[in-house]
C-alpha cells in the first residue's frame, strides 16, 4: 500500500482547509436585498407548496411525549428546550394552522401570522441545531418525520433569502460552476496527477465508457486525499472498469444542504447525465454523507426517468465486494481496538451497516461498538452543512461531545469513519476539546489492507 498523503501533509492541509472554511464569512457577498413582506410571502408559498397531506397529518398528531428530545444530540448536549426537535416545526405549523387546517377560521383568530423576524429566528433552529440526521424520527410514537420537515423549513428560508452566509456562499459557488472551495477541473487534474505519481499507476480519467463512475469531492481534493486515493487503489486492485470524469467529479451538493432545490436538482442532473453518457452500471459516491442521498434518491427525478445505474457509497461498494468474495483483504495484527461511526445519511437513511463491519473484520480489527451504533447511532454533530456555520460552533461541540463520549467509553484507540463531514467535525472537535483519538478514513483502511503485490512482498 502506498501512502497517498503523509500525516504531516494531512495536518497542513487540514489547517489550510480549516482556515479557508473559517474565512467564508469574510468572503461572502451581502445577501440580495429583499423586503420583509416578500420574505414572508416566499416562505409561506414554499411551506404551502411542500405541505402535502402526510406532513399536514403529522403536524396534527404530536402527543408531546418528549421522546424526540431524548434522541437529539443537540438537546441532550445543551438541555436547552429550544432544541426539542418537534419545536423546530412550530413556525411551519402556524402556517399550516392558519392556511390549511380544517379549523383555520379559528386559528386565524388565535394563531399569529409568521413574520420576517420569526424566519430569522428559525435560521438557527433548522440549520445550526439540526443536521437532519433523522434519529428523532425513529423514536417518535406518532411517526412524525421531523428531519424531512426540517428540510422543508430550509427550503422556505432559502426562498426567503435567509440561508446562513456560509451555506449561501457554497450554494452560490456551486450554482455558478458546480465546484466547492475552488476545487475546479484544473485542481482536480492536478490532484489526479499527484495521486498517479504517488500510487505509481495511471488513473483512468475521462474514459468514454466504464462500468463504474467514481465521484470525489472538493473536500477530498483539498484535504482527505487518502479517501479518494484509497478508493482508486482498491478499484484498480480489483480490476474494475472504472473512470473519473473531469466534467463530473464533484459529489458535494450544497443545494441539498442549503435548501436551494433548483441548484440541488441541477447538480444531481449533471452527475446523472454523465453516468448515463458513459454507460455506468454503478456510481460510487465519495466518503461524503450527503452526496449519497443527493444522488441515490435524486438521480431519477433529476432526469425524469429511471436511471440505469446503482448509487453506492465507498463503504457499501467495497463492503459488498468483501462479503461476496470479490475483494479479499489481508488481515493484520492490530493490537488496539477500533470504533466505527455510522454516518447518518449512509447508515440510518441508506441501511449501510454490515458492509463497513465486514471490511473491518476482514482487516483483522477488534471492533468495539458504541452504545448507539447502527440505526440509532448519534450524529457527529456536524452534518448537513453545519460543520461550516461558524456561529453553530457551540452546538457542534455539544453534538461532538455526546458521540465522542460514547466512542471513548468503548475503549477503542482509534475511530474509523466514511464521511468527510463527520471526519472534519471529529477532527475540529478533537482540537477544541484537547482529545487525541486518531480518526481514519474507511477507504484508506481498505487500501492499507490490500494484499501485497509480488514486488511489494519481495521488498
Ligand atoms: S433530525 Fe437529528 S439533529 Fe435534527 S432534530 Fe432530529 S435528532 Fe436532532
Ligand atoms: S416524539 Fe413525536 S409525539 Fe413525542 S414530542 Fe416528539 S414529535 Fe411529539
Amino acid at each position: 500500500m502506498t501512502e497517498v498523503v503523509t500525516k504531516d501533509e494531512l495536518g497542513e492541509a487540514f489547517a489550510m482547509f480549516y482556515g479557508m472554511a473559517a474565512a467564508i464569512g469574510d468572503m461572502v457577498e451581502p445577501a440580495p436585498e429583499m423586503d420583509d413582506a416578500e420574505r414572508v410571502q416566499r416562505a409561506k408559498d414554499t411551506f404551502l407548496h411542500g405541505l402535502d397531506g402526510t406532513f399536514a397529518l403529522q403536524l396534527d398528531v404530536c402527543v408531546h411525549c418528549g421522546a424526540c428530545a431524548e434522541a437529539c444530540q443537540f438537546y441532550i448536549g445543551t438541555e436547552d428546550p429550544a432544541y426539542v426537535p418537534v419545536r423546530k416545526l412550530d413556525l411551519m405549523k402556524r402556517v399550516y394552522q392558519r392556511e390549511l387546517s380544517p379549523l383555520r377560521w379559528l386559528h386565524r383568530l388565535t394563531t399569529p401570522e409568521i413574520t420576517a423576524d420569526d424566519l430569522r429566528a428559525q435560521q438557527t433552529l433548522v440549520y445550526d441545531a439540526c443536521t437532519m440526521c433523522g434519529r428523532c424520527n425513529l423514536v417518535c410514537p406518532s411517526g412524525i418525520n421531523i428531519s424531512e420537515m426540517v428540510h422543508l423549513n430550509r427550503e422556505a428560508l432559502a426562498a426567503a433569502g435567509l440561508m446562513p452566509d456560509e451555506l449561501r456562499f457554497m450554494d452560490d459557488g456551486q450554482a455558478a460552476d458546480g465546484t466547492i472551495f475552488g476545487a475546479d477541473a484544473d485542481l482536480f487534474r492536478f490532484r489526479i496527477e499527484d495521486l498517479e505519481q504517488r500510487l505509481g499507476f495511471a488513473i483512468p480519467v475521462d474514459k468514454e465508457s466504464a462500468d463504474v463512475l467514481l465521484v470525489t469531492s472538493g473536500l477530498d481534493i483539498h484535504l482527505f486525499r487518502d479517501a479518494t486515493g484509497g478508493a482508486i487503489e482498491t478499484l484498480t486492485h480489483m480490476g474494475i472498469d472504472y473512470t473519473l470524469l473531469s466534467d463530473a467529479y464533484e459529489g458535494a451538493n450544497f443545494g441539498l444542504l442549503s435548501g436551494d432545490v433548483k441548484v440541488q436538482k441541477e447538480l444531481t442532473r449533471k452527475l446523472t447525465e454523465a453516468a448515463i453518457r458513459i454507460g455506468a452500471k454503478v456510481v460510487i459516491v465519495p466518503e461524503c454523507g450527503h452526496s449519497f442521498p443527493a444522488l441515490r434518491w435524486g438521480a431519477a427525478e433529476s432526469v425524469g426517468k429511471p436511471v440505469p445505474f446503482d448509487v453506492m457509497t465507498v463503504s457499501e461498494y467495497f463492503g459488498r465486494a468483501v462479503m461476496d468474495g470479490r475483494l479479499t483483504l489481508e488481515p493484520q495484527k492490530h493490537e488496539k481496538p477500533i470504533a466505527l461511526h455510522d454516518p447518518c445519511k449512509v447508515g440510518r437513511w441508506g441501511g449501510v451497516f454490515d458492509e463497513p463491519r465486514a471490511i473491518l473484520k476482514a482487516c483483522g480489527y477488534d471492533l468495539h461498538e458504541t452504545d448507539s451504533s447502527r440505526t440509532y447511532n448519534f450524529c457527529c454533530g456536524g452534518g448537513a452543512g453545519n460543520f461550516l456555520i461558524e456561529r453553530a460552533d457551540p452546538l457542534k461541540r455539544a453534538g461532538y461531545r455526546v458521540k465522542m463520549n460514547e466512542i471513548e467509553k468503548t475503549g477503542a484507540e482509534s475511530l474509523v469513519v466514511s464521511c468527510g463531514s463527520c471526519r472534519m467535525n471529529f477532527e475540529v472537535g478533537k482540537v477544541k476539546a484537547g482529545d487525541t483519538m486518531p480518526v481514519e478514513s474507511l477507504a484508506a483502511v481498505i487500501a492499507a489492507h490490500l494484499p501485497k503485490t509480488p514486488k511489494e512482498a519481495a521488498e
Side-chain angles (χ1 to χ4, degrees):
M1 186 257 176
T2 320
E3 196 170 37
V4 296
V5 57
T6 65
K7 280 202 165 47
D8 285 349
E9 286 173 327
L10 195 57
E12 278 172 28
F14 179 76
M16 188 200 80
F17 186 86
Y18 185 66
M20 193 159 60
I24 289 177
D26 301 327
M27 294 189 283
V28 67
E29 299 285 333
E33 292 286 323
M34 194 184 301
D35 69 42
D36 282 356
E38 187 176 355
R39 287 189 202 281
V40 170
Q41 194 55 52
R42 285 183 175 217
K44 279 174 66 177
D45 289 347
T46 307
F47 278 132
L48 293 172
H49 182 257
L51 256 165
D52 59 10
T54 310
F55 280 175
L57 177 69
Q58 291 180 29
L59 287 172
D60 263 341
V61 296
C62 175
V63 295
H64 307 290
C65 66
C68 55
E70 298 305 328
C72 178
Q73 66 278 357
F74 295 124
Y75 176 77
I76 294 170
T78 62
E79 297 187 343
D80 185 336
Y83 302 135
V84 171
V86 73
R87 292 196 59 184
K88 296 165 189 171
L89 309 181
D90 284 352
L91 196 70
M92 177 174 162
K93 189 169 180 178
R94 275 165 54 195
V95 175
Y96 160 70
Q97 288 176 325
R98 286 180 55 93
E99 308 296 335
L100 291 177
S101 83
L103 292 177
R104 53 189 177 274
W105 57 272
L106 178 62
H107 283 296
R108 283 178 187 158
L109 299 174
T110 57
T111 305
E113 179 77 278
I114 66 168
T115 66
D117 283 343
D118 291 332
L119 291 170
R120 290 186 189 94
Q122 188 74 355
Q123 256 202 3
T124 53
L125 292 183
V126 297
Y127 286 105
D128 310 21
C130 183
T131 55
M132 298 185 289
C133 75
R135 195 168 189 269
C136 52
N137 304 347
L138 291 180
V139 302
C140 174
S142 302
I144 299 174
N145 190 338
I146 296 171
S147 59
E148 196 63 28
M149 286 195 269
V150 163
H151 190 261
L152 180 54
N153 274 261
R154 286 192 179 198
E155 287 178 35
L157 292 181
L162 290 171
M163 287 177 203
D165 285 349
E166 294 88 342
L167 296 193
R168 182 163 51 78
F169 179 83
M170 301 300 290
D171 183 59
D172 286 350
Q174 282 213 279
D177 63 7
T179 68
I180 65 167
F181 300 116
D184 60 12
D186 288 342
L187 186 57
F188 164 77
R189 285 193 203 92
F190 170 81
R191 184 61 68 214
I192 293 295
E193 282 167 20
D194 181 59
L195 284 172
E196 284 181 328
Q197 280 182 10
R198 291 172 190 241
L199 292 168
F201 58 79
I203 296 171
V205 175
D206 290 338
K207 282 167 67 174
E208 288 187 4
S209 69
D211 289 341
V212 171
L213 171 61
L214 177 64
V215 178
T216 180
S217 85
L219 191 59
D220 287 4
I221 290 170
H222 278 293
L223 181 55
F224 297 135
R225 300 164 220 168
D226 51 348
T228 300
I232 286 171
E233 206 174 350
T234 309
L235 285 170
T236 302
H237 166 83
M238 290 172 71
I240 301 293
D241 172 28
Y242 77 99
T243 190
L244 294 100
L245 294 174
S246 60
D247 66 349
Y249 57 85
E250 182 56 74
N253 189 320
F254 274 85
L256 171 68
L257 299 180
S258 64
D260 185 340
V261 176
K262 188 164 168 249
V263 171
Q264 174 188 340
K265 288 186 177 169
E266 177 57 21
L267 295 169
T268 299
R269 186 192 60 76
K270 191 175 168 193
L271 277 184
T272 303
E273 288 182 345
I276 293 171
R277 183 183 84 218
I278 65 162
K281 298 184 183 76
V282 177
V283 179
I284 303 179
V285 294
E287 291 191 324
C288 167
H290 79 272
S291 297
F292 178 67
L295 197 62
R296 181 119 159 196
W297 295 298
E301 189 192 1
S302 75
V303 291
K305 61 184 180 187
V307 292
F309 56 82
D310 290 329
V311 178
M312 294 190 189
T313 67
V314 167
S315 56
E316 187 178 21
Y317 185 85
F318 293 124
R320 287 195 192 174
V322 167
M323 290 158 84
D324 66 19
R326 286 178 294 120
L327 173 62
T328 303
L329 298 174
E330 206 160 78
Q332 295 168 14
K333 195 167 168 43
H334 299 287
E335 304 290 345
K336 298 171 180 173
I338 200 163
L340 174 71
H341 176 67
D342 292 301
C344 306
K345 310 296 189 302
V346 174
R348 188 158 32 252
W349 291 33
V352 180
F353 297 122
D354 293 338
E355 293 87 345
R357 286 165 176 78
I359 290 167
L360 293 178
K361 187 173 175 206
C363 294
Y365 282 107
D366 174 19
L367 172 63
H368 285 200
E369 294 279 8
T370 55
D371 286 346
S372 71
S373 65
R374 291 181 175 255
T375 310
Y376 285 91
N377 191 47
F378 273 113
C379 174
C380 67
N386 93 333
F387 77 95
L388 285 177
I389 302 173
E390 201 172 0
R391 65 167 185 235
D393 205 53
L395 283 161
K396 285 181 274 185
R397 303 289 71 81
Y400 162 87
R401 197 68 265 158
V402 169
K403 187 62 214 174
M404 187 50 87
N405 283 351
E406 279 196 342
I407 293 164
E408 288 173 350
K409 194 176 144 201
T410 66
E413 296 192 29
S414 63
L415 171 68
V416 172
V417 298
S418 55
C419 168
S421 299
C422 301
R423 197 172 167 193
M424 187 79 190
N425 201 51
F426 280 123
E427 292 289 5
V428 175
K430 274 169 49 183
V431 171
K432 298 209 170 185
D435 295 332
T436 54
M437 176 80 62
V439 182
E440 296 176 56
S441 145
L442 185 66
V445 165
I446 296 168
H449 292 79
L450 291 174
K452 288 187 174 53
T453 60
K455 184 168 166 260
E456 285 169 339
E459 286 169 359

